[in-house]
Amino acid sequence: MTKVLMNAEMRRRLLGGKNALASTKLDAPRPAVNHAANQELWQAARDGNLAAIEAALQQGADINSSDESGAGAVYWAVRHKQFDALDMLWKHGAKAHNTTRQGLLQMDVIYNQGQCAVPLLNMGAAVDAIDASGKSARQLAAEAGLMLFDSIPSQSAAAMPQHQPSLQ
């Protein structure tokens, strides 16, 4: 069976001019990408500069944008132990996704002993997702003797996102 992807115009034609699905995200106009604001956001997250994070977002930064290596604001906040910045990003709707070789929770366990685990889990990070190292955050925590995820039920491997390599 072949899947066919339809854009809004194709759906309108198929429905005889009716736009029954016009409220989908695919049909919504996309705001212009503000690359400079995105770069300011990543730097502000890296530095833990809450005022600069707010300013970058007001200038149109995409809170879930990432650079060419796959690292975004959440990545930089975790990597540089900017806990207040991470909390602010979460409150603004950031998601715990990245396309770097190392998963966000895995990086948190390695560099921060899991200090960012709660906000990352709230942002949608998966405890049992496998990164490029072949390990999950749960495995890394257990190896380090950290009881971070013991109370979180295991998720089936089929339902877990696996590492998606960067497009470099």
Side-chain angles (χ1 to χ4, degrees):
M1 175 186 263
T2 305
K3 284 188 176 182
V4 178
L5 300 175
M6 287 191 277
N7 64 22
E9 182 59 32
M10 291 172 72
R11 281 195 307 269
R12 277 190 282 279
R13 288 182 188 165
L14 183 65
L15 296 170
K18 296 176 185 170
N19 199 0
L21 303 174
S23 64
T24 65
K25 288 184 179 183
L26 293 175
D27 294 327
R30 294 185 180 184
V33 176
N34 187 337
H35 295 290
N38 288 343
Q39 290 176 343
E40 290 172 20
L41 175 64
W42 306 329
Q43 185 64 49
R46 188 179 300 126
D47 297 340
N49 186 333
L50 303 182
I53 289 172
E54 197 66 50
L57 291 172
Q58 288 176 1
Q59 292 171 14
D62 176 357
I63 198 154
N64 291 309
S65 63
S66 58
D67 65 17
E68 62 279 350
S69 72
V74 171
Y75 171 91
W76 291 115
V78 171
R79 181 65 180 91
H80 290 275
K81 301 179 184 181
Q82 300 297 346
F83 307 120
D84 291 336
L86 185 62
D87 189 54
M88 176 181 266
L89 293 167
W90 172 51
K91 288 176 181 172
H92 278 283
K95 302 294 180 206
H97 73 282
N98 75 355
T99 55
T100 61
R101 293 184 51 77
Q102 189 172 47
L104 290 169
L105 273 174
Q106 287 89 332
M107 184 176 60
D108 178 46
V109 169
I110 292 168
Y111 296 111
N112 306 329
Q113 290 73 48
Q115 294 177 60
C116 300
V118 171
L120 287 172
L121 291 169
N122 286 334
M123 289 182 210
V127 173
D128 295 308
I130 305 298
D131 72 2
S133 73
K135 295 191 177 186
S136 70
R138 186 187 306 274
Q139 290 170 308
L140 289 171
E143 289 173 6
L146 301 171
M147 298 171 51
L148 296 171
F149 309 116
D150 292 354
S151 64
I152 299 174
S154 292
Q155 296 165 308
S156 72
M160 297 310 312
Q162 302 299 311
H163 167 70
Q164 297 297 317
S166 176
L167 299 176
Q168 285 189 340

